[in-house]
Amino acid sequence: MERVIDVANYLFDEYKKLSGEIIDEMKLHKLLYLSQRENIAITGEPLFIENFEGWKYGPVCTTVRLHYTNDGIFANNLCDISQESAYIVKSVILQYGAIESWKLSEMSHKELSWRNSRKGLSSDAYGNVPLSLDDIREDAKKVRPYDPIWDMYYDEFEDVEDMQA
């Protein structure tokens, strides 16, 4: 399992490589959430154990928030993430990276995990209730994982393997 700060650092650097732009903090948090959800959808396991909180504009990881700057993620002992994790995060960037931050925020408001973390709060309250990992697992069930590198959904790979056998 990865550390969220290492995933955030990889996401920051890879986004800049692919887009030529610096990722804003809101987009970073939303792509982190989507990476967590996507990893659960593909592997059945979380990418990292750290929590998101149900902030007003969508899921936010306070661990990452403390280390984000426009120049990068600054934390002690940053490590590389595994190739498998990097592949999933890059896939998320390719699928969602071109979407504006506010649109990603709106998308996150449709997630069960975020809605449940906001129960009892007014719409303008910032919020700090952690998103439940079980709720993120429920969100992951509605995802049909897509691989933009191969331009195929994961469930189609079995069909290709069967044809090659």
Side-chain angles (χ1 to χ4, degrees):
M1 189 170 303
E2 308 293 351
R3 296 183 317 159
V4 71
I5 200 71
D6 297 325
V7 175
N9 186 57
Y10 176 82
L11 205 158
F12 186 98
D13 291 343
E14 194 66 19
Y15 182 88
K16 188 174 182 182
K17 246 190 273 181
L18 293 171
S19 72
E21 299 174 0
I22 292 174
I23 191 169
D24 66 71
E25 187 178 0
M26 182 185 287
K27 184 177 278 192
L28 176 67
H29 288 288
K30 302 319 164 257
L31 294 181
L32 274 173
Y33 169 80
L34 292 168
S35 296
Q36 179 79 306
R37 187 189 72 179
E38 194 82 6
N39 199 78
I40 292 170
I42 293 167
T43 70
E45 297 298 324
L47 181 58
F48 46 82
I49 199 64
E50 293 88 350
N51 289 326
F52 290 95
E53 293 179 359
W55 283 33
K56 180 178 176 178
Y57 300 113
V60 170
C61 180
T62 53
T63 302
V64 172
R65 195 167 199 292
L66 294 172
H67 298 281
Y68 172 87
T69 73
N70 286 335
D71 294 322
I73 305 296
F74 289 98
N76 294 329
N77 305 318
L78 288 171
C79 300
D80 291 336
I81 62 175
S82 71
Q83 286 183 334
E84 179 182 72
S85 297
Y87 193 87
I88 290 172
V89 173
K90 185 174 182 176
S91 174
V92 167
I93 295 169
L94 291 172
Q95 288 180 76
Y96 300 101
I99 300 173
E100 293 296 325
S101 299
W102 285 103
K103 182 65 176 167
L104 290 171
S105 177
E106 289 173 6
M107 288 171 54
S108 72
H109 290 187
K110 295 176 183 164
E111 298 288 299
L112 173 74
S113 55
W114 182 82
R115 289 192 328 262
N116 282 347
S117 75
R118 301 288 300 170
K119 284 185 177 173
L121 297 176
S122 67
S123 62
D124 59 341
Y126 280 99
N128 63 356
V129 175
L131 275 66
S132 157
L133 188 57
D134 288 336
D135 286 347
I136 298 172
R137 286 184 191 282
E138 287 301 313
D139 291 332
K141 287 179 183 177
K142 68 177 184 186
V143 173
R144 184 178 181 206
Y146 176 74
D147 187 322
I149 296 165
W150 288 96
D151 191 26
M152 294 175 67
Y153 289 95
Y154 274 70
D155 58 10
E156 294 174 329
F157 282 104
E158 295 170 6
D159 297 337
V160 172
E161 289 170 2
D162 291 342
M163 289 172 35
Q164 292 176 346

